Amino acid sequence: MEQTTLAMAQEIDFSLLALFMKATITVKIVMLMLIGASFWSWSIIIQKHINFRKAKADAAVFDQAFWSGEPLDELYDHIAGTPRNAPERVFVAGMTEWRRSHRADGGLIAGAGSRIDRSMDVAIAKESEVMNSQLSILATVGSTGPFIGLFGTVWGIKTAFEDIALAQSTNLAVVAPGIAEALLATALGLLAAIPAVIFYNKLSADSDKILGGYEAFADEFSTILSRELDS
């Protein structure tokens, strides 16, 4: 009897595709959702990694141009029409408000410093919104993926017990396929969630670091302009 059961178990196809095809429609939907979420997460991770690398490179290039000794008015005139990246947009926002704060006689309108600061803060806030977009998707996948997989597992085990009751047998050949299908759903849930959590934390830290650089530049630029205001 034991040899017959083992022989039957060895004939079962436990490949991932076979387990998916044998699963119930509910478990299949769960698996497809998790696979889709995993691909979606990886597309966001790759795109954000590319964007953040570019943002760091752009910041380094602009920082070099800003501190090169070129007059700020000339730098502004060069990039004001088409600022190409976030550091340039923050700089243009501050310089634009600086120029608007001058009266026709060359004097400065009161409160110029605070308006310049607010203009750059608004520009940084817009860059923050763009930079952090879609990171919430990674957080959602990371927090819900295991539970969605667990739902598939519970449903698969329920189906396995129903098959046991219908077959009136608890031998391995009857139990194993259903349990394997159920565990596959859990595995897919973890496969989607773990990278999402890891890269959400990393990308969030990278975003904070980049935005911190923008804020540091805005403070430095505001200090430079404040000297002009006090002179």
Side-chain angles (χ1 to χ4, degrees):
M1 180 66 177
E2 183 178 350
Q3 292 180 347
T4 301
T5 301
L6 290 174
M8 292 174 63
Q10 290 173 354
E11 293 177 358
I12 300 173
D13 187 357
F14 286 101
S15 67
L16 297 180
L17 180 59
L19 292 175
F20 174 79
M21 296 305 295
K22 293 176 182 177
T24 64
I25 186 64
T26 302
V27 178
K28 283 180 180 177
I29 292 173
V30 168
M31 290 181 181
L32 289 174
M33 287 176 59
L34 293 171
I35 292 171
S38 181
F39 277 107
W40 194 8
S41 295
W42 277 108
S43 67
I44 294 172
I45 290 167
I46 294 170
Q47 186 61 52
K48 287 297 181 183
H49 180 69
I50 294 172
N51 291 347
F52 287 1
R53 285 190 62 182
K54 184 178 183 302
K56 292 176 183 177
D58 289 340
V61 171
F62 177 78
D63 194 57
Q64 185 177 6
F66 183 81
W67 296 108
S68 65
E70 178 183 1
L72 296 183
D73 285 328
E74 292 183 11
L75 179 61
Y76 173 76
D77 292 337
H78 179 66
I79 66 176
T82 55
R84 297 163 297 179
N85 50 57
E88 290 185 358
R89 286 188 285 270
V90 174
F91 170 71
V92 167
M95 278 297 293
T96 300
E97 187 57 41
W98 164 258
R99 289 193 171 184
R100 288 174 178 171
S101 296
H102 284 78
R103 295 194 300 265
D105 60 1
L108 284 169
I109 301 172
S114 61
R115 288 195 303 274
I116 291 169
D117 288 341
R118 285 198 298 271
S119 296
M120 290 190 289
D121 288 342
V122 170
I124 292 172
K126 291 179 180 178
E127 299 301 331
S128 175
E129 184 177 352
V130 173
M131 191 166 292
N132 290 320
S133 65
Q134 296 188 312
L135 289 185
S136 59
I137 295 173
L138 296 182
T140 301
V141 172
S143 61
T144 62
F147 295 102
I148 295 173
L150 182 60
F151 170 76
T153 296
V154 171
W155 193 273
I157 291 175
K158 179 186 79 71
T159 303
F161 278 114
E162 291 173 353
D163 292 341
I164 291 172
L166 291 173
Q168 297 184 348
S169 172
T170 58
N171 67 54
L172 187 63
V174 174
V175 175
I179 299 299
E181 295 161 14
L183 294 177
L184 178 59
T186 296
L188 290 175
L190 295 175
L191 183 65
I194 292 173
V197 171
I198 291 173
F199 282 99
Y200 171 77
N201 292 330
K202 181 185 183 304
L203 293 172
S204 294
D206 290 345
S207 175
D208 291 342
K209 185 176 181 180
I210 294 170
L211 292 171
Y214 297 162
E215 291 171 355
F217 163 74
D219 290 340
E220 291 173 346
F221 185 36
S222 181
T223 300
I224 293 172
L225 294 181
S226 69
R227 295 194 191 103
E228 296 291 333
L229 293 172
D230 296 337
S231 61

